Amino acid sequence: MANAARGVWWWFTSVLGDRDYERYVAHMQARHPGEPVPSVREYWHSRHADAEVNPGARCC
């Protein structure tokens, strides 16, 4: 039961974007070693700025 709850929690937080920065850092380390990795704050600022410029498909 605990494993199922953890799985649901992991999925829920992934859908909401909580793991985006972790995946981004892993990508940067794997594909662009030696390149500077922005801080969490810089990452989210960039993501939100990009979303404003290129809204794409979103609900609201």
Side-chain angles (χ1 to χ4, degrees):
M1 181 73 152
N3 284 339
R6 275 193 294 271
V8 168
W9 181 252
W10 175 88
W11 179 83
F12 187 71
T13 58
S14 293
V15 168
L16 293 177
D18 290 357
R19 306 211 185 287
D20 287 356
Y21 181 71
E22 293 172 19
R23 285 194 301 265
Y24 177 73
V25 170
H27 165 80
M28 288 296 290
Q29 290 171 342
R31 303 279 189 221
H32 308 283
E35 291 288 322
V37 177
S39 69
V40 173
R41 183 179 180 153
E42 292 168 333
Y43 170 78
W44 285 110
H45 178 75
S46 175
R47 285 272 311 258
H48 291 295
D50 185 56
E52 289 296 319
V53 173
N54 304 305
R58 52 183 182 183
C59 66
C60 308

